[in-house]
């Protein structure tokens, strides 16, 4: 199996314009000592781009901008200790030479942790607002494609096993805060209540609610393979509740929630609580939703039809930084078939590495 590519960077922000030719002459010997072949590209007003290529396939790009930015990118294919030490030594020499040349007129030197590309274990997952996070993942526990999505469970040293659905970080064993928030943050009394969970294939919500002595919990999850993976590899989250699809006070239906909601609405079945824990990207097989927002509004409308007049609907929102998306979601609430009110709470979910907004929605009480 080919080695992964290790991408290292070193940036210099100078306190003045750069003498591009002087910088190039100062740094050239460092790369030439490595036996690297040099190619120089020169633009009159845009500085230099210099590439250095080694016989083993490693290469470096040196970009010298006249306005005072010098960038070094180095890609190597040896991820053993010796290879990493060689890269560090080369970058150390570049840094020392630049400090000698510029004589204290460097505003900032920045060396980021190396990015490993094409490795067996993928450690890089974006936050909801598009920032790149490197997780401390050390094992691929489960990786399967269901008819609906890719399902990964990866082990993190900090967060335990993490469920990732089609590239979206869903829940880690560390994330009880998520489960508690989407259940009402301990403010609700579930004793003797009828509860409907939409999604929730990791079993976390179901596991916590059955402890609270509800009358009956119905969980509707479309993907059996999510349940299969989680009941084996996410037991700190779901306990033994997914070992059987029926228990004394719960049942799990392996179905698309939209036809189930329509059936319950037609039958007049009502719930004290509806908890929407569907994945961020809709995977329903129903053709009615032309967009994510239409899908979300459809779920909301159908949920309100099966929610008791004094019932509550809980759901996750999004990252607190995505203010436009949150505002758009709240705008959908004004377009439902019945008037509703809502409150929201911001919670730190450990494995998300960002603050997350949760919603409580209820039917507006009308004066008789």
């Amino acid at each position: 199996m080919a080695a992964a590519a290790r991408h290292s960077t070193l940036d210099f922000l100078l306190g003045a314009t750069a003498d591009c030719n002087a910088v190039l002459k100062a740094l050239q010997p460092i790369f030439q000592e490595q036996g690297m072949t040099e190619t120089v590209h020169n633009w009159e007003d845009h500085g230099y781009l210099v590439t250095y290529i080694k016989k083993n396939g490693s290469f470096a790009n040196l970009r010298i901008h006249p306005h005072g930015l010098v960038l070094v990118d180095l890609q190597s294919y040896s991820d053993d200790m010796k290879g990493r030490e060689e890269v560090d030594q080369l970058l150390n020499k570049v840094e020392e030479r630049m400090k000698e040349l510029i004589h204290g007129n460097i505003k900032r030197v920045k060396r980021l942790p190396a990015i490993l590309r094409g490795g067996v274990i993928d450690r890089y997952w974006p936050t909801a607002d598009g920032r790149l996070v490197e997780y401390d993942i050390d094992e691929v526990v489960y990786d399967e494609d269901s008819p609906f999505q890719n399902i990964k469970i990866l082990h993190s040293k900090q967060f335990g096993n993490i469920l990732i659905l089609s590239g979206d970080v869903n829940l880690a064993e560390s994330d009880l805060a998520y489960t508690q928030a989407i259940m009402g943050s301990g403010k609700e009394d579930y004793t003797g209540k009828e509860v409907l969970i939409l999604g929730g294939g990791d079993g976390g919500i179901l596991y916590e609610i059955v402890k609270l002595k509800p009358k009956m919990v119905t969980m509707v999850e479309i993907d059996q393979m999510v349940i299969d993976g989680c009941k084996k590899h996410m037991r700190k989250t779901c306990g033994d509740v997914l070992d059987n699809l029926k228990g004394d006070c719960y049942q799990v239906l392996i179905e698309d929630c939209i036809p189930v909601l329509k059936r319950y609405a037609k039958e007049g079945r009502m719930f004290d609580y509806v908890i929407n824990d569907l994945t961020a990207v809709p995977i329903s097989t129903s053709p009615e939703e032309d967009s994510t927002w239409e899908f979300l509004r459809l779920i909301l409308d159908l949920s309100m039809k099966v929610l008791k007049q004094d019932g509550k609907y809980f759901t996750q929102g999004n990252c607190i930084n995505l203010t436009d998306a949150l505002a758009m979601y709240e705008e959908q609430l004004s377009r439902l078939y019945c008037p509703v009110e809502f409150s929201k709470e911001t919670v730190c979910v450990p494995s998300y590495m960002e603050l997350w907004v949760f919603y409580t929605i209820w039917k507006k009480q009308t004066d008789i």
Side-chain angles (χ1 to χ4, degrees):
M1 183 172 57
R6 188 177 184 84
H7 193 123
S8 304
T9 62
L10 178 58
D11 305 343
F12 300 91
L13 180 62
L14 309 185
T17 57
D19 183 337
C20 298
N21 192 51
V23 171
L24 176 58
K25 286 184 176 180
L27 298 182
Q28 272 177 324
I30 297 174
F31 296 99
Q32 291 169 349
E33 288 167 5
Q34 302 292 316
M36 303 178 94
T37 303
E38 178 187 79
T39 304
V40 180
H41 305 272
N42 181 16
W43 299 274
E44 184 176 348
D45 298 322
H46 301 288
Y48 288 95
L49 169 62
V50 190
T51 60
Y52 294 95
I53 302 174
K54 209 169 183 178
K55 289 182 179 180
N56 65 1
S58 298
F59 66 89
N61 291 326
L62 170 62
R63 184 68 172 96
I64 309 169
H65 294 271
H67 67 271
L69 181 62
V70 179
L71 307 174
V72 179
D73 294 88
L74 197 152
Q75 188 165 299
S76 60
Y77 297 91
S78 177
D79 195 38
D80 57 19
M81 184 61 70
K82 182 181 177 183
R84 292 197 293 272
E85 287 177 353
E86 289 177 353
V87 169
D88 286 340
Q89 288 169 6
L90 188 149
L91 295 177
N92 288 341
K93 288 180 181 178
V94 171
E95 186 172 338
E96 290 169 7
R97 190 70 55 86
M98 283 293 292
K99 289 178 177 177
E100 291 170 2
L101 177 69
I102 306 300
H103 299 301
N105 200 17
I106 299 176
K107 293 175 67 176
R108 184 172 69 232
V109 179
K110 190 71 173 182
R111 191 186 306 192
L112 297 174
I115 292 178
L116 202 64
R117 299 166 66 183
V120 175
I121 297 174
D122 187 357
R123 301 184 179 96
Y124 306 98
W125 300 95
T127 58
D129 60 350
R131 292 171 292 111
L132 184 64
V133 173
E134 179 178 4
Y135 286 84
D136 56 348
I137 291 167
D138 57 6
E139 183 184 358
V140 179
V141 176
Y142 183 87
D143 189 354
E144 298 288 344
D145 289 312
S146 80
F148 306 102
Q149 58 200 331
N150 174 258
I151 306 162
K152 285 183 174 67
I153 299 176
L154 308 178
H155 180 262
S156 157
K157 296 174 185 177
Q158 290 182 83
F159 306 122
N161 286 345
I162 305 175
L163 174 65
I164 299 175
L165 299 179
S166 295
D168 183 44
V169 175
N170 270 235
L171 194 77
E173 291 177 315
S174 63
D175 295 346
L176 181 60
Y178 175 100
T179 303
Q180 291 174 333
I182 206 169
M183 290 172 53
S185 297
K187 301 170 187 173
E188 305 299 322
D189 181 7
Y190 285 92
T191 306
K193 301 296 174 58
E194 293 269 2
V195 183
L196 177 63
I197 303 171
L198 308 177
D202 55 73
I205 299 170
L206 181 61
Y207 181 57
E208 295 302 322
I209 285 186
V210 296
K211 299 176 185 177
L212 304 177
K213 304 187 185 324
K215 180 179 179 182
M216 176 56 65
V217 182
T218 301
M219 184 176 109
V220 187
E221 166 61 51
I222 198 172
D223 200 337
Q224 176 72 56
M225 288 182 66
V226 172
I227 291 175
D228 292 342
C230 291
K231 73 180 180 182
K232 184 174 182 181
H233 301 295
M234 299 279 291
R235 293 188 79 83
K236 288 182 181 178
T237 295
C238 65
D240 60 359
V241 77
L242 296 179
D243 292 351
N244 298 291
L245 297 182
K246 284 191 176 182
D248 292 339
C249 63
Y250 72 90
Q251 60 175 341
V252 178
L253 307 179
I254 310 300
E255 295 187 50
D256 183 338
C257 69
I258 289 179
V260 172
L261 283 167
K262 288 180 177 178
R263 185 169 72 242
Y264 286 166
K266 188 176 181 180
E267 294 170 354
R269 185 168 177 188
M270 305 295 279
F271 295 88
D272 298 287
Y273 295 98
V274 177
I275 302 176
N276 180 352
D277 192 36
L278 298 169
T279 52
V281 179
I283 57 172
S284 169
T285 56
S286 293
E288 295 179 41
E289 64 279 357
D290 296 326
S291 73
T292 300
W293 295 110
E294 288 184 15
F295 172 84
L296 292 174
R297 196 166 64 250
L298 176 61
I299 293 293
L300 279 161
D301 261 333
L302 291 172
S303 296
M304 291 302 120
K305 289 178 181 178
V306 301
L307 186 67
K308 292 180 180 179
Q309 189 61 35
D310 60 349
K312 289 183 180 178
Y313 174 95
F314 295 119
T315 189
Q316 60 162 317
N318 217 314
C319 159
I320 195 170
N321 285 344
L322 293 179
T323 53
D324 289 346
L326 293 170
M328 194 177 297
Y329 180 77
E330 291 168 19
E331 196 270 333
Q332 305 304 306
L333 300 181
S334 67
R335 300 172 60 187
L336 303 182
Y337 85 94
C338 66
V340 300
E341 295 178 310
F342 69 91
S343 63
K344 53 188 175 181
E345 178 184 20
T346 301
V347 173
C348 180
V349 180
S351 76
Y352 288 13
M353 300 195 199
E354 55 188 333
L355 296 177
W356 209 253
V357 178
F358 292 82
Y359 285 91
T360 302
I361 301 166
W362 60 92
K363 294 177 179 178
K364 190 173 183 178
Q365 303 300 318
T366 55
D367 296 330
I368 300 176

